[in-house]
């Protein structure tokens, strides 16, 4: 991960990852409920329409049959034929004869003529419709009369929509679309704004949501009829509540598992080589510089370059990743990166103090490889530094790797680089081997400097190391100097250089440059004021 997200962002991602399946399952559940209710209301509307179409068909067929035989209206033969038609017409309650807006007889026999008044509507097919007529049935029950060419079909509007009793609060109506005010043939409920009907053409159907209702419209392809149903939103909500009990726990479970998985993925470490390659590529490796002071003057004369790994894992410390990189034979990648960063930083140091030196840590693999020599030539070319500006540090273990190592060290020294033995005293061969090594500087390990002015057994070792380095004509850098008494002791013993928290912690190049500048300008005036302000 090039830029690992911070805790806050990670938390946000986890919440988002958790909520996605939860919301998705809720959405799917809701869509499922909506689709089910939509299908139900459409199929109901279609079945009502089918029944109305049947009625119309039977009315027309009956009318044609009577016209064909041309019997005298209400004659016994006529009434017998009407009874046959009645029997064949399942959707029609009674059939009869209408003359001059009066029902003069029916399949139930010749009764007194009943006046129907003006028809409420005459459809495009020529059907006269009389709504809600009391035809003397017991108990009193308003019926609709549909008449054409003197023949009448009598239907019970309350039976048209009787399926609805199972679904309380669902509203429905049968309309005559061609009538200007969309007359209702039958209706349950009130909520029928007429503009719904404008939505559909002949033979089509549609569903929409409006005013808290799910509205379905179907319109007959051949008859002047349309059916509207309005299902309250509460039907969808109730269905959703039932389904959510099932869907939501699954969604929550998936969300939790997914969030867990994502957070695990963030935590899982790449294998070390992949991590290191990525760190090099995305610039997570950087270099800090720890000042080296001349003890007599306390001037900063040089610095040690120490590599750092910017990582969200707090344990990416050099004492972990340097040995790992050595084990995976990748340490030279780090050396290369450190040299590249140093080449960028050095010019600003040198512009302030031309004799400044930087010590760089080499591992055994660097010293075994002859390509290190060409890399150092390239370093000088790119950085504009002189070999005297660079000191190569290596532990005694690295020094004792055989003839190739000795050869590389010799060539480095011949080129003018100085070479230091690092962490001196911690290895097993130490003093006896020192003589045989080709060296310029000895760095006394921190663990020995720690014993100065104490009465531990190893405190006897420090003067020996110092004396020996003097006798071999080596420069000495004491590492890990933390107190002034330690510094005093070292001065007294003739140690020229020191490094440690007493003089300065490892720091950014900009800060180091400022320190060198303030030291240098205390001596002479010619230091350029802008030297350290270079931005990389
Ligand atoms: O200051 P610090 O805690 O980083 O030092 C830890 C160890 O890592 C030291 O022994 C130091 O020599 C080593 N080290 C720091 N930078 C480098 C480097 O660039 N290359 C190698 N090989 N070792 C380094
Ligand atoms: O390469 P070398 O092993 O010399 O690296 C020096 C190490 O010692 C680095 O980890 C550096 O941060 C650490 N160090 C430098 N000065 C002091 C100091 O005064 N006290 C302590 N405890 N550690 C120091
Ligand atoms: Mn070192």
């Amino acid at each position: 991960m090039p830029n690992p997200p911070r805790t806050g962002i990670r938390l946000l991602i986890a919440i988002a990852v958790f909520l996605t399946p939860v919301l998705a399952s809720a959405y799917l559940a809701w869509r499922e409920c909506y689709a089910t209710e939509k299908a139900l209301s459409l199929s109901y509307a279609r079945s009502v329409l089918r029944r109305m179409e049947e009625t119309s068909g039977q009315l027309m067929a009956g009318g044609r049959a009577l016209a064909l035989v041309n019997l005298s209206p209400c004659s016994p033969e006529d009434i017998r034929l009407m009874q046959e038609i009645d029997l064949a017409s399942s959707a029609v309650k009674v059939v009869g004869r209408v003359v001059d807006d009066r029902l003069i007889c029916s399949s139930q026999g010749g009764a007194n003529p009943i006046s129907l008044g003006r028809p409420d509507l005459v459809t495009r097919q020529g059907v006269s419709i009389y709504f809600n007529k009391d035809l003397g049935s017991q108990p009193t029950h308003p019926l609709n009369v549909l008449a054409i060419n003197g023949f009448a079909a009598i239907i019970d509007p309350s039976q048209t929509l009787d399926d609805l009793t199972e679904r309380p609060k669902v509203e429905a109506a049968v309309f005559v679309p061609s009538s200007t005010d969309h007359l209702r043939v039958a209706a349950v409920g009130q909520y029928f704004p007429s503009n719904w009907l404008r939505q559909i053409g002949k033979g089509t159907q549609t569903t929409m949501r409006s005013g808290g209702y799910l509205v379905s419209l179907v319109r007959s392809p051949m008859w002047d009829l349309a059916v509207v149903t309005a299902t309250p939103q509460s039907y969808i909500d109730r269905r959703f509540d039932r389904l959510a009990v099932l869907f939501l726990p699954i969604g929550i479970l998936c969300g939790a598992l997914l969030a867990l998985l994502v957070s695990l993925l963030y935590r899982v470490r790449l294998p070390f080589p992949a991590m290191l390659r990525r760190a090099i590529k995305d610039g997570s490796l950087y270099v800090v510089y720890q000042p080296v002071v001349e003890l007599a003057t306390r001037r900063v004369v040089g610095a040690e370059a120490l590599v750092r790994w910017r990582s969200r894992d707090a344990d990416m410390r050099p004492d972990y990743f340097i040995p790992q990189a050595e084990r995976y034979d990748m340490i030279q990648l780090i050396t290369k990166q450190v040299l590249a960063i140093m080449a960028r930083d050095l010019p600003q140091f040198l512009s302030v103090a031309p004799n400044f030196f930087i010590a760089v840590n080499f591992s055994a693999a660097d010293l075994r490889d002859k390509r290190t020599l060409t890399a150092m030539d390239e370093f000088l070319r790119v950085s504009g530094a002189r070999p005297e500006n660079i000191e190569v540090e290596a532990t005694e273990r690295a020094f004792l790797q055989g003839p190739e190592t000795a050869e590389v060290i010799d060539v480095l020294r011949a080129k003018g680089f100085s070479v230091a033995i690092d962490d001196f005293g911690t290895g097993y061969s130490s003093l006896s081997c020192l003589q045989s090594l080709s060296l310029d500087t000895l760095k006394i390990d921190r663990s020995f400097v720690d014993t100065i002015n104490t009465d531990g057994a190893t405190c006897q070792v420090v003067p020996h190391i110092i004396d020996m380095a003097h006798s071999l004509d080596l420069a000495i850098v004491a590492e890990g100097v933390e107190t002034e008494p330690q510094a005093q002791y070292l001065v007294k013993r003739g140690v020229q250089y020191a490094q440690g928290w007493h003089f300065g912690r490892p720091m950014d190049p900009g800060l180091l440059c400022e320190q060198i500048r303030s030291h240098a300008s205390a001596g002479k005036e010619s230091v350029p004021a802008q030297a350290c302000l270079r931005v990389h």
Side-chain angles (χ1 to χ4, degrees):
M1 287 136 264
N3 287 311
R6 285 173 224 291
T7 321
I9 297 170
R10 256 196 268 178
L11 187 70
L12 275 184
I13 290 173
I15 291 172
V17 163
F18 170 73
L19 281 182
T20 306
V22 175
L23 295 181
S25 70
Y27 173 70
L28 287 176
W30 191 88
R31 254 190 33 176
E32 179 63 27
C33 296
Y34 178 78
T36 307
E37 281 302 328
K38 177 176 159 176
L40 266 176
S41 77
L42 264 178
S43 91
Y44 172 67
R46 272 198 305 263
S47 85
V48 171
L49 184 66
R50 208 177 313 116
R51 217 163 331 136
M52 288 305 295
E53 285 175 329
E54 239 178 302
T55 309
S56 305
Q58 288 167 1
L59 169 72
M60 293 309 210
R64 270 196 306 274
L66 280 182
L68 219 58
V69 292
N70 201 18
L71 295 168
S72 144
C74 300
S75 63
E77 295 81 6
D78 190 44
I79 289 180
R80 209 174 313 117
L81 183 55
M82 284 201 292
Q83 280 166 349
E84 279 169 30
I85 293 168
D86 187 359
L87 276 175
S89 307
S90 53
V92 175
K93 201 172 164 68
V94 180
V95 299
R97 284 292 194 180
V98 172
V99 175
D100 296 336
D101 295 331
R102 286 183 317 152
L103 182 68
I104 54 174
C105 63
S106 76
S107 50
Q108 292 180 344
N112 292 331
I114 299 167
S115 173
L116 299 171
R118 300 290 309 150
D120 292 288
L121 172 73
V122 180
T123 70
R124 267 180 288 141
Q125 278 108 345
V127 178
S128 302
I129 303 180
Y130 307 83
F131 284 130
N132 301 330
K133 296 301 162 198
D134 176 11
L135 301 181
S137 59
Q138 284 303 326
T140 308
H141 195 73
L143 297 169
N144 290 350
V145 180
L146 314 174
I148 184 160
N149 300 334
F151 176 68
I154 296 157
I155 60 168
D156 182 350
S158 71
Q159 279 173 11
T160 312
L161 303 167
D162 59 356
D163 292 359
L164 275 183
T165 46
E166 294 160 29
R167 289 163 69 77
K169 292 196 194 132
V170 173
E171 307 192 349
V174 181
F175 282 91
V176 177
S178 71
S179 71
T180 46
D181 49 356
H182 300 312
L183 273 175
R184 293 170 205 176
V185 177
V188 172
Q190 298 299 319
Y191 188 70
F192 297 112
S194 57
N195 64 340
W196 291 356
L197 281 173
R198 288 194 202 109
Q199 310 279 337
I200 55 165
K202 276 189 173 182
T204 62
Q205 62 181 40
T206 184
T207 304
M208 60 198 165
R209 283 163 72 203
S210 164
Y213 284 87
L214 173 68
V215 178
S216 285
L217 290 155
V218 285
R219 182 165 172 183
S220 171
M222 48 180 182
W223 303 103
D224 197 7
L225 291 167
V227 176
V228 180
T229 65
T231 309
Q233 176 72 36
S234 62
Y235 271 78
I236 301 177
D237 295 346
R238 236 179 304 141
R239 193 176 284 277
F240 176 76
D241 289 347
R242 282 200 303 272
L243 206 60
V245 173
L246 217 105
F247 259 79
L248 277 184
I250 294 172
I252 289 170
L253 194 74
C254 288
L257 281 176
L258 218 65
L260 191 76
L261 200 76
V262 167
S263 70
L264 277 180
L265 274 181
Y266 267 119
R267 227 152 272 161
V268 163
R269 289 240 199 137
L270 290 174
F272 182 84
M275 255 195 322
L276 178 60
R277 277 204 193 87
R278 182 176 276 193
I280 289 172
K281 211 160 87 186
D282 67 20
S284 295
L285 290 190
Y286 63 104
V287 171
V288 289
Y289 297 89
Q290 184 173 35
V292 174
V293 300
E294 187 179 52
L295 276 168
T297 61
R298 302 295 168 98
R299 279 181 49 227
V300 179
V301 291
E304 179 177 358
L306 295 162
V307 70
R308 293 285 182 268
W309 186 328
R310 190 182 289 116
S311 165
R312 66 200 161 84
D313 298 307
D315 59 349
M316 274 307 181
R317 300 212 14 94
D319 11 0
Y320 164 73
F321 71 80
I322 296 286
Q324 283 289 90
E326 284 174 341
R327 173 155 3 123
Y328 283 104
D329 202 15
M330 294 175 81
I331 189 70
Q332 286 175 281
L333 290 178
I334 293 183
T335 307
K336 193 173 156 206
Q337 184 76 357
V338 168
L339 285 172
I341 297 171
M342 278 171 57
R344 214 181 53 193
D345 291 338
L346 247 180
Q348 62 171 329
F349 303 152
L350 296 183
S351 72
V352 179
N355 293 322
F356 198 74
F357 75 89
I358 298 287
V360 56
N361 291 283
F362 275 12
S363 285
D366 297 308
L367 293 181
R368 267 200 308 266
D369 191 342
K370 286 216 173 64
R371 283 175 302 180
T372 302
L373 297 168
T374 45
M376 292 310 281
D377 290 340
E378 179 65 9
F379 173 82
L380 293 181
R381 195 184 65 74
V382 173
S383 65
R386 291 168 290 120
E388 301 85 75
N389 296 126
I390 301 302
E391 182 160 73
V392 168
E393 287 186 15
T395 58
E396 35 184 315
R397 200 171 46 79
F399 273 100
L400 303 169
Q401 295 275 317
E404 298 104 322
T405 306
E407 204 184 318
V408 169
I409 290 168
D410 286 341
V411 177
L412 282 173
R413 294 189 73 211
K415 283 177 185 288
F417 296 101
S418 57
V419 172
I421 186 163
D422 200 4
D423 302 338
F424 186 77
T426 56
Y428 42 89
S429 48
S430 294
L431 300 169
S432 57
C433 287
L434 201 52
Q435 228 164 350
S436 63
L437 297 176
S438 147
L439 280 177
D440 301 283
T441 305
L442 182 149
K443 295 188 84 170
I444 306 174
D445 191 65
R446 200 170 67 217
S447 58
F448 293 106
V449 174
D450 280 346
T451 67
I452 292 171
N453 296 331
T454 67
D455 43 12
T458 41
C459 73
Q460 305 299 325
V461 181
V462 180
H464 286 291
I465 296 174
I466 294 169
D467 289 347
M468 200 162 157
H470 280 154
S471 72
L472 291 171
D473 209 15
L474 299 176
I476 304 173
V477 180
E479 287 190 305
V481 177
E482 294 181 350
T483 65
E484 182 56 27
Q486 287 171 342
Q488 297 291 345
Y489 174 95
L490 292 164
V491 175
K492 225 184 319 154
R493 289 281 168 167
V495 173
Q496 305 98 310
Y497 304 105
Q499 197 181 326
W501 294 352
H502 185 55
F503 305 107
R505 301 217 172 203
M507 61 184 80
D508 289 337
L511 197 59
L512 178 69
C513 185
E514 282 304 332
Q515 288 206 355
I516 312 167
R517 195 164 69 92
S518 62
H519 280 233
S521 56
K524 50 183 173 25
E525 298 305 315
S526 61
V527 177
Q530 301 290 311
C532 293
L533 297 180
R534 268 178 37 171
V535 177
H536 301 294

